[in-house]
Amino acid sequence: MKWNELLIRYGELSLKGRNRNYFVRKLKRNIETALSDLHSFEIKSERDRMFLYADGKDDMEEAIKRLPFVFGIQSFSPVAKCPATIEDILQTALDVVGSGETEGKTFKVEIRRTDKSFPFVTNELQQKIGSHVLRNFPELSVQMKNPDILLFVDIRLEGAFLTSKVYPGAGGMPVGSNGKSLLMLSGGIDSPVAGYLLMKRGVAIDAIHFESPPFTSELAKQKVIDLAEKLSSFGASVKLHVIPFTELQQLIVGKIPDGELMTTTRRIMMQIADRVRVETDALGIISGESLGQVASQTLDSLTAINAVTSTPVLRPLISFDKLEIIDLATKIGTYDISIRPYEDCCTIFTPAKPKTKPKLERVKHYESFVDFEPLLEEVIKKRKIYNLPRQEKDEFADFL
Ligand code: ATP
Ligand code: MG
């Protein structure tokens, strides 16, 4: 089926009052980016919807595959255009209905007639199209309320426009319309999901990862790069900052007692993240913590970790159960990457019994004997930055 245009609906966006134009412009740009390696599509936006003109280009099917991942779209429909004559409309109606599954489905025709000079009144036209479709698809039956297939025919001066399928969009808001934050990305199941959820609310992200070679492998890092790349497929490029953490971690292990070790490690990570955040013009820090999941994720631990910064730390998973997180990770395609069996830096240096109720004063006391500052600055300078998605075209095609 050769579609001529896509009708894109915004939903929540159209409620945004004075900011609406800004959101719509962002959405338009993100759609252009998501489709940038395809034919150049012309996109026109109206108050509550957008049209993407394709005029039967082959790339339309590919565009239909990609749009469900662009945040800010409520739903979209492929539209076929034909001359506004009854013969053309009847033929196109068959093509459009036949382009989807029809077995055992219910059906209804709806007409909008902006061109009042069209020779048939609405009821008459509805009848004609309906009976023509039923003659050709005897497995369909008519149902006026909630039909499976709603064939919508819009008759305008410039032609007739027919559509029957509504694809759900990803919802949310266009990435970048709500500023930028730095995601602490570990290679586990949780943090990529946390990044996804903030992107869904329009936040652009950079990511930071702490690696401890040779205790963590190249494959562990590759996993994090793949996760960041997966996140970049949700509407915006992602810069991944990889911090060489081994020396700092060894310093911590050497100087801080077992009970406070995990808390100090987290506090140091947070301080580094906060400095990288400033350099990248991000406003917040995102982490994948979920209350009570492990020792470092109790309210006492979070309090001790938070004490190093006044930057907002966004924890979208704080109230999620592990199974809910796994469900979402599976749905967005990060789960299979996250479960590749490579250790991350924290697992390796975790003491057998970290405290679930670390005392901030005690942690600060032990830390006061250690000068972390020179290493802190050094690892930030030595960080490696990866720009995702990677530029090779064939790889780009792979993950979509
Ligand atoms: P995840 O599945 O995201 O690894 P987790 O349940 O294993 O989470 P922790 O290991 O306690 O939890 O980590 C809590 C959060 O701290 C992570 O979600 C992530 O945001 C951040 N974090 C942990 N390790 C790293 C790391 N090596 N690099 C960057 N961020 C990290
Ligand atoms: Mg982890």
Side-chain angles (χ1 to χ4, degrees), residues 81-218:
K81 179 183 176 188
C82 67
T85 70
I86 186 66
E87 295 77 22
D88 285 304
I89 293 174
L90 289 179
Q91 181 53 49
T92 309
L94 294 189
D95 294 343
V96 168
V97 172
S99 72
E101 179 64 42
T102 53
E103 197 62 48
K105 297 263 162 93
T106 56
F107 160 80
K108 178 189 172 181
V109 186
E110 213 171 274
I111 311 277
R112 183 163 74 184
R113 221 162 47 102
T114 338
D115 176 12
K116 299 293 179 204
S117 68
F118 193 72
F120 298 94
V121 294
T122 302
N123 282 349
E124 215 179 337
L125 195 55
Q126 206 169 10
Q127 270 272 298
K128 271 188 185 302
I129 299 174
S131 52
H132 188 63
V133 169
L134 286 177
R135 257 197 310 280
N136 285 275
F137 296 98
E139 69 275 22
L140 288 175
S141 59
V142 174
Q143 180 176 304
M144 299 317 269
K145 227 176 166 183
N146 295 326
D148 299 321
I149 302 170
L150 177 67
L151 174 64
F152 184 69
V153 184
D154 188 4
I155 299 171
R156 304 180 221 158
L157 280 174
E158 62 273 28
F161 297 78
L162 290 82
T163 178
S164 71
K165 190 158 174 57
V166 179
Y167 290 89
M173 303 165 86
V175 174
S177 63
N178 266 331
K180 179 170 159 189
S181 286
L182 183 65
L183 168 67
M184 298 180 71
L185 185 60
S186 71
I189 295 169
D190 306 333
S191 41
V193 177
Y196 166 87
L197 287 173
L198 264 303
M199 289 176 92
K200 183 167 184 203
R201 295 312 297 167
V203 176
I205 60 170
D206 267 18
I208 184 168
H209 175 69
F210 298 85
E211 63 162 356
S212 297
F215 304 102
T216 57
S217 64
E218 270 303 302

Side-chain angles (χ1 to χ4, degrees), residues 259-260 263 295 298 300-302 304 355-360 362-363:
E260 282 70 29
T263 311
T298 62
D300 295 86
S301 287
L302 295 181
K355 289 214 169 95
T356 54
K357 281 178 174 280
K359 291 275 168 292
L360 182 56
R362 194 187 294 229
V363 174

Side-chain angles (χ1 to χ4, degrees), residues 30-43:
N30 290 354
I31 293 174
E32 282 163 354
T33 307
L35 307 180
S36 59
D37 60 323
L38 306 180
H39 265 109
S40 59
F41 293 105
E42 191 194 348
I43 303 178

